[in-house]
Amino acid sequence: MSGLRAPSNYTEEPPRHSSLIVNSQEPFNAEPPRSALIASYVTPVDLFYKRNHGPIPVLDDIERYRVSICGLVEKPLELSMADIRKLPKHIVTATLQCAGNRRTAMSKVKVVKGVGWDVSAIGNAIWGGAKLADVLELVGISKLTSVSPLGGKHVEFVSVDRCKEEKGGPYKGSIPLIQATNSDAEVLLAYEMNGEPLNRDHGYPLRVIVPGVIGARSVKWLSSINIIENECQGFFMQRDYKMFPPTVNWEIIDWSTRRPQMDFPVQSVICSLEEENTVKPGKIVVHGYAASGGGRGIERVDVSFDGGKTWVEAIRYQKSGIPYVADDISSDKWAWVLFKAEADVSHTTEIVAKAVDISANVQPENVEVIWNLRGILNTSWHRVHIHVQHPDL
């Protein structure tokens, strides 16, 4: 790709925030402390989780950079950043979540394969760029098209990075054409994050943002967009990020029996407390996040201060001064909500959170029933333990 290159080693990595919890150094995968997530509705770029599969690409010359649009299209073309910036700029607030978020808790039931994420492989950002639906019109594909004139049904995004899973080839993924051409789906070719140009860890100079879908489909360091008949055949579409039942192990797995995961299920996490906590008797205030995929807002967050015997409804909020209503135009449909609940605690207990989205989807009670060998989509009730330490009499 002219202007943008993928290094063959890790000698040109960008600087990172010192507070990140590093899960792997090469490739660099890291998450912030959970407490950082509830400090603000919009996650600072430096504290947004980093998910990579190889060395971070380097842009040597922005003027030479091009993204090609090809495949089953009548008029293929290459676009410069200047071309993309000429299109109407769209802003969307959207939460990205790695499908492996909370994998460590699932691994406690039975060991799984994958990056050992805690609860912070998630973040909420304000993305700016051109709508993919507008870009595809430039190659003769109209809005709300499910099959292109030449028979394309999927849009494949190809990165420039080098992944060992792709035998040194680039990361790639796809979404259905009908989603790509739907303006209301708000799929972006993004060049800004939180009002600033993307940084290298997050896809500079151009990436895809697919709101409401697992982060694996929001391809970074974009090289090409291909209109194809069948979904992408890349490793991360066909041999990863699929949800299998607990009975399937690595000896009997058949990847072709499951579809690639797209939307993420309803999720909530307590972030103001660690997994184990020692406190004095008295009031405990619980803060956390809740999110659901597919643009489904959060209807309710329930918090229990006695291990799930009784529940209180948490306060939900997004933007300061604007009441959160799950399906209202004033709310960010693709973004998480933050929540708050409080109670007096006098003895050792377990605090539990569970969320319900506007389709009445609710988190499963136990991780055992959703255990899977890749450790994805752990959306079980989130539990933290409180040890109350009474002062000496």
Side-chain angles (χ1 to χ4, degrees):
M1 180 67 205
S2 61
L4 184 64
R5 60 180 171 86
S8 59
N9 56 47
Y10 292 91
T11 60
E12 298 180 84
E13 294 291 279
R16 278 98 178 201
H17 198 281
S18 59
S19 70
L20 290 175
I21 301 164
V22 179
N23 293 318
S24 72
Q25 193 70 46
E26 296 180 358
F28 190 81
N29 290 290
E31 61 189 303
R34 62 179 67 182
S35 59
L37 295 181
I38 52 173
S40 59
Y41 173 57
V42 175
T43 309
V45 174
D46 286 349
L47 296 177
F48 208 98
Y49 77 99
K50 320 298 182 190
R51 178 67 174 116
N52 300 299
H53 297 275
I56 305 302
V58 176
L59 182 70
D60 291 319
D61 186 354
I62 189 70
E63 297 302 323
R64 290 172 51 221
Y65 173 78
R66 299 289 185 275
V67 58
S68 62
I69 306 175
C70 50
L72 298 174
V73 295
E74 295 172 340
K75 43 181 180 180
L77 76 144
E78 291 189 340
L79 296 176
S80 66
M81 284 304 301
D83 296 327
I84 293 168
R85 288 179 178 276
K86 288 176 184 175
L87 295 168
K89 182 179 178 180
H90 185 71
I91 303 292
V92 62
T93 303
T95 295
L96 289 188
Q97 179 177 210
C98 179
N101 194 28
R102 300 181 61 197
R103 180 177 282 129
T104 51
M106 187 172 282
S107 212
K108 291 176 182 178
V109 173
K110 184 179 176 182
V111 175
V112 299
K113 289 185 179 180
V115 176
W117 298 112
D118 188 36
V119 301
S120 302
I122 187 171
N124 190 50
I126 302 171
W127 308 95
K131 280 189 177 183
L132 181 57
D134 292 339
V135 174
L136 293 179
E137 282 190 320
L138 301 177
V139 293
I141 300 177
S142 303
K143 289 185 172 68
L144 295 176
T145 295
S146 56
V147 183
S148 74
L150 296 183
K153 298 178 183 177
H154 298 265
V155 181
E156 178 184 60
F157 310 113
V158 182
S159 180
V160 75
D161 63 346
R162 299 182 180 186
C163 309
K164 66 178 187 298
E165 296 89 347
E166 294 284 6
K167 296 179 173 59
Y171 187 100
K172 59 183 91 169
S174 67
I175 61 173
L177 182 62
I178 188 62
Q179 182 179 12
T181 58
N182 182 356
S183 285
D184 291 340
E186 300 186 273
V187 180
L188 291 189
L189 297 190
Y191 45 79
E192 287 183 0
M193 181 179 183
N194 295 349
E196 300 291 335
L198 292 171
N199 73 11
R200 287 180 57 206
D201 265 324
H202 294 290
Y204 179 77
L206 191 69
R207 70 172 298 170
V208 183
I209 292 294
V210 187
V213 169
I214 63 170
R217 313 306 173 211
S218 290
V219 176
K220 298 185 284 187
W221 312 294
L222 197 57
S223 168
S224 64
I225 299 170
N226 304 322
I227 310 305
I228 54 180
E229 181 179 2
N230 301 304
E231 67 189 13
C232 170
Q233 295 301 298
F235 180 92
F236 297 100
M237 286 289 290
Q238 300 305 325
R239 297 182 63 81
D240 203 353
Y241 299 122
K242 293 184 177 184
M243 184 70 162
F244 285 88
T247 52
V248 172
N249 59 43
W250 291 104
E251 285 70 44
I252 63 172
I253 191 170
D254 182 353
W255 291 100
S256 67
T257 61
R258 291 291 179 269
R259 61 182 292 275
Q261 186 64 38
M262 300 303 278
D263 290 5
F264 55 82
V266 63
Q267 172 80 285
S268 69
V269 165
I270 296 166
C271 294
S272 55
L273 295 164
E274 299 298 320
E275 298 301 301
E276 302 289 338
N277 307 269
T278 300
V279 302
K280 296 178 180 179
K283 180 184 292 185
I284 289 185
V285 182
V286 169
H287 294 269
Y289 67 76
S292 190
R296 294 178 292 273
I298 299 299
E299 181 64 23
R300 202 174 76 238
V301 178
D302 301 323
V303 177
S304 173
F305 289 85
D306 56 12
K309 296 175 184 177
T310 63
W311 300 87
V312 297
E313 185 172 348
I315 298 169
R316 295 159 295 140
Y317 57 98
Q318 283 186 336
K319 294 163 285 189
S320 178
I322 302 176
Y324 174 76
V325 180
D327 56 353
D328 191 80
I329 193 170
S330 66
S331 300
D332 294 326
K333 65 182 291 187
W334 306 113
W336 64 14
V337 301
L338 302 180
F339 66 84
K340 173 185 176 182
E342 59 185 58
D344 287 322
V345 172
S346 60
H347 58 274
T348 294
T349 188
E350 182 181 63
I351 301 178
V352 187
K354 62 180 174 72
V356 183
D357 69 19
I358 58 172
S359 296
N361 298 309
V362 64
Q363 294 172 250
E365 182 174 352
N366 297 306
V367 68
E368 289 84 357
V369 299
I370 54 171
W371 183 94
N372 60 91
L373 75 178
R374 271 293 279 122
I376 66 168
L377 306 182
N378 180 9
T379 56
S380 58
W381 294 2
H382 189 230
R383 305 166 184 269
V384 298
H385 300 102
I386 302 297
H387 305 276
V388 175
Q389 191 172 59
H390 292 272
D392 294 334
L393 298 177

